[in-house]
Amino acid sequence: MITAQGLTKKFGEVVALENITFQVDDGEFVFLTGKSGSGKTTLIRLFLRDLLPSLGTLEINGVDIVKIKSNKLPTFRRDIGVVFQDFKLLNDRNVLENVSLPLMFRGINSSNILSSTKAALEMVDLWDKAQLFPAQLSGGETQRVAIARSIVARPKLLLADEPTGNLDPATAKLILKLLREVHSELKTTVIMATHNADLVNHSSLRVITLDKGKLTRDNQKGKYEE
Amino acid sequence: MMAAVAIMSVTLFVACAFFVIAAGSQAVLHYFEGRPQLNAYFKSDVIPTPQQVESIKSKLIATGLTEKIRYISKEDAFDIYKNLNKQDPLLLEAVTPGMLPASIETSAKNPADLKSIAETLRLEPGIDDVRFEEDVVINLTRWTNSLRTIGVVFVGTHVFITFLVILLIVGLKVANRKDEISVMQLMGASMGYIAAPFVWEGITYGIIGAVIAWGTVYLIILYSMGFLLTLLAGIPILPPPIVFMFQVLGGTTLLGMIIGAIGGWLAVIRFLK
């Protein structure tokens, strides 16, 4: 469960998020929408504890992110899968190695790493491209690899920051479909930041809308509204 | 990479060379310490009685300053003389046992006490002359201590410079991979996992540098063997034992690995902080 209470983030004089309060239950799929600069990425970075709040509290699975000691941060982050808009795959490693990274961080033995990685790549239908390098993949395939990497360790929470931002509409729909399959199969809580109104409007899922750092709407079965 | 290996090789060469020179000096010092350091000669017409010899020995032991005491009779002295000059019949013919004085050889626990032991012996009746190698041992001790101090300062300075260079070189590599490191951090990689390749890189520089440094020092020793044997005038410390040289290689490699590992680790820590 995620609980944000009066969450505020300032960068100097600039207020990126202001007094945000919401709750996301375990196993929910939530869209985080808003224009560019509305604070979506800042909120995602707070979830990852890549930033600390200026005011207010943010609890993830009962843990106040401010109280996490730096030596415990890797362990905290291992429960979170992330999909970035620009994929952030490691170009000098092949698909198999990229996807297996989160498992290696956990010190899992190599046979289990291979079986889990294979399962994740089969889920995104890319097992046949396991030996290819990121430069040899299309944009959609690269994002599917990023999704496989984010789910390979079966995290409790999956964060997707504009995962369809660089993709054509058809591929974007495919990626959303994939994320929804992951959500229903693994029962993972998914928070997907997007400003793709078409995707949101076809999904009938909860939508949290930010505008200039403020939470303006929280529609349980809502539509993309600016 | 060439720069890192080069600076590591220079530093480890300096460390290795200083260590070998210090160990050599120590061996020379031990050689001199192990020899009789003081000889008290009786007048050549005096044949000391066993009671007289025992009395002198007892007095020396009572001072608590002596390590070994040995009486050399006129006959013993002649045997030693014969042994030393066996290649020269002319010298052997010129000397008879009666011409050589009996003597007492002794060495001190501390070379600084030789003067005091000499004073004790000079007071004994029948003693004609007392000679000792106080200067050799004291100068060698002084030289060895100075060498150690200079070595520690010189090697310390080089190690510090090497740390900075490794920090800079590995730091540049870390900076080049900052995006990759940031992604790994966000995915839950531990500091150890992120730092490991950079630490190994530093260790590799250390190992390569150590082998180059040790090889250079060994080649220099072998190349200058003729000169060194003349310089050391029969002091038996050359050639250096192979086991000793491998111990030096082990120590140099360990030092290189430690410098490389700490340099690599600090470079990553500096970036992550």
Side-chain angles (χ1 to χ4, degrees):
Chain A
M1 182 189 285
I2 298 170
T3 311
Q5 197 73 43
L7 196 61
T8 299
K9 179 64 190 175
K10 293 179 186 174
F11 295 100
E13 295 300 309
V14 180
V15 181
L17 287 174
E18 189 177 352
N19 198 25
I20 304 282
T21 297
F22 65 87
Q23 186 173 306
V24 176
D25 291 330
D26 288 342
E28 265 197 278
F29 192 120
V30 180
F31 283 113
L32 192 60
T33 65
K35 295 176 190 168
S36 294
S38 60
K40 300 188 296 293
T41 299
T42 301
L43 191 54
I44 296 273
R45 289 181 67 191
L46 283 164
F47 288 146
L48 274 169
R49 218 276 207 171
D50 192 26
L51 295 173
L52 285 170
S54 307
L55 281 172
T57 58
L58 176 62
E59 284 188 10
I60 296 176
N61 297 323
V63 178
D64 184 343
I65 64 155
V66 176
K67 291 179 181 164
I68 300 171
K69 290 179 182 169
S70 58
N71 63 333
K72 299 284 178 199
L73 198 51
T75 313
F76 166 78
R77 285 176 175 160
R78 284 173 203 164
D79 281 335
I80 303 173
V82 206
V83 183
F84 301 96
Q85 181 177 359
D86 55 353
F87 324 124
K88 294 198 190 298
L89 297 184
L90 308 187
N91 291 323
D92 59 344
R93 301 189 196 201
N94 67 23
V95 167
L96 188 76
E97 289 164 337
N98 264 288
V99 175
S100 61
L101 270 178
L103 300 171
M104 291 170 79
F105 299 155
R106 287 163 172 78
I108 291 168
N109 67 54
S110 53
S111 61
N112 286 344
I113 286 179
L114 185 63
S115 59
S116 300
T117 306
K118 187 180 180 198
L121 280 171
E122 281 173 341
M123 197 163 183
V124 298
D125 201 21
L126 279 175
W127 175 240
D128 57 327
K129 300 202 171 175
Q131 298 303 326
L132 298 184
F133 284 83
Q136 297 170 290
L137 303 172
S138 69
E141 285 171 337
T142 309
Q143 194 57 292
R144 278 152 62 200
V145 173
I147 291 171
R149 184 180 65 182
S150 70
I151 59 166
V152 70
R154 296 180 171 260
K156 292 176 187 164
L157 171 64
L158 177 59
L159 302 173
D161 188 9
E162 304 272 11
T164 59
N166 288 333
L167 305 174
D168 62 81
T171 312
K173 277 183 186 166
L174 197 72
I175 294 297
L176 177 62
K177 183 169 170 275
L178 191 58
L179 286 172
R180 292 197 66 174
E181 280 171 13
V182 167
H183 168 246
S184 61
E185 277 185 40
L186 305 180
K187 311 292 179 211
T188 305
T189 308
V190 180
I191 297 180
M192 176 174 160
T194 183
H195 55 244
N196 187 328
D198 192 37
L199 279 184
V200 176
N201 290 339
H202 280 88
S203 63
S204 303
L205 291 165
R206 182 179 171 190
V207 183
I208 292 175
T209 307
L210 299 177
D211 184 30
K212 292 174 186 168
K214 291 180 181 165
L215 194 156
T216 51
R217 283 188 186 84
D218 186 353
N219 297 338
Q220 289 302 318
K221 276 195 173 183
K223 289 202 163 200
Y224 188 103
E225 294 171 280
E226 288 186 354
Chain B
M1 181 181 170
M2 289 299 286
V5 170
I7 187 74
M8 190 69 95
S9 301
V10 170
T11 296
L12 294 175
F13 171 77
V14 170
C16 191
F18 263 105
F19 181 76
V20 169
I21 293 169
S25 304
Q26 195 67 37
V28 172
L29 183 63
H30 276 302
Y31 171 77
F32 278 103
E33 281 175 343
R35 291 178 63 201
Q37 297 164 342
L38 186 147
N39 291 294
Y41 297 98
F42 289 91
K43 289 171 184 158
S44 55
D45 58 342
V46 171
I47 299 173
T49 61
Q51 291 79 7
Q52 195 180 351
V53 171
E54 282 311 309
S55 159
I56 293 172
K57 278 186 177 178
S58 303
K59 283 179 188 170
L60 288 176
I61 291 167
T63 62
L65 304 174
T66 53
E67 183 92 342
K68 282 183 275 183
I69 305 163
R70 186 178 160 217
Y71 170 66
I72 310 285
S73 67
K74 279 175 169 286
E75 288 74 24
D76 294 336
F78 185 63
D79 287 343
I80 294 168
Y81 180 83
K82 277 198 296 186
N83 200 35
L84 284 172
N85 299 290
K86 57 188 171 194
Q87 310 294 341
D88 198 336
L90 273 176
L91 284 176
L92 290 176
E93 282 173 20
V95 175
T96 60
M99 292 168 71
L100 295 173
S103 63
I104 288 191
E105 285 183 357
T106 184
S107 54
K109 286 176 183 165
N110 183 348
D113 295 326
L114 284 170
K115 202 174 264 179
S116 161
I117 297 168
E119 293 306 321
T120 307
L121 284 165
R122 277 194 187 107
L123 296 173
E124 288 299 316
I127 293 290
D128 183 34
D129 189 16
V130 179
R131 292 181 194 170
F132 58 98
E133 296 171 335
E134 179 196 40
D135 290 349
V136 175
V137 175
I138 287 179
N139 285 341
L140 263 174
T141 308
R142 221 174 270 157
W143 153 257
T144 310
N145 289 340
S146 305
L147 194 73
R148 278 199 203 114
T149 310
I150 294 168
V152 166
V153 172
F154 205 58
V155 171
T157 310
H158 269 78
V159 166
F160 179 69
I161 293 168
T162 308
F163 264 132
L164 293 183
V165 173
I166 297 287
L167 207 67
L168 197 72
I169 291 169
V170 179
L172 280 174
K173 296 200 171 188
V174 173
N176 281 340
R177 293 175 64 184
K178 64 177 182 181
D179 291 340
E180 187 180 326
I181 291 172
S182 300
V183 173
M184 285 184 173
Q185 279 187 296
L186 291 177
M187 289 195 299
S190 64
M191 197 176 272
Y193 187 94
I194 292 169
F198 301 105
V199 171
W200 277 114
E201 187 171 337
I203 289 174
T204 307
Y205 294 151
I207 293 171
I208 297 171
V211 172
I212 292 172
W214 177 82
T216 310
V217 168
Y218 206 178
L219 281 177
I220 290 172
I221 292 173
L222 294 177
Y223 184 75
S224 1
M225 192 78 90
F227 163 75
L228 290 172
L229 284 171
T230 311
L231 182 77
L232 293 168
I235 300 170
I237 62 165
L238 286 173
I242 195 78
V243 174
F244 167 75
M245 285 312 292
F246 276 110
Q247 284 170 341
V248 172
L249 174 63
T252 311
T253 307
L254 188 66
L255 178 65
M257 287 168 73
I258 290 171
I259 296 171
I262 296 176
W265 176 259
L266 289 179
V268 180
I269 297 290
R270 201 167 131 246
F271 174 79
L272 295 182
K273 294 276 180 193

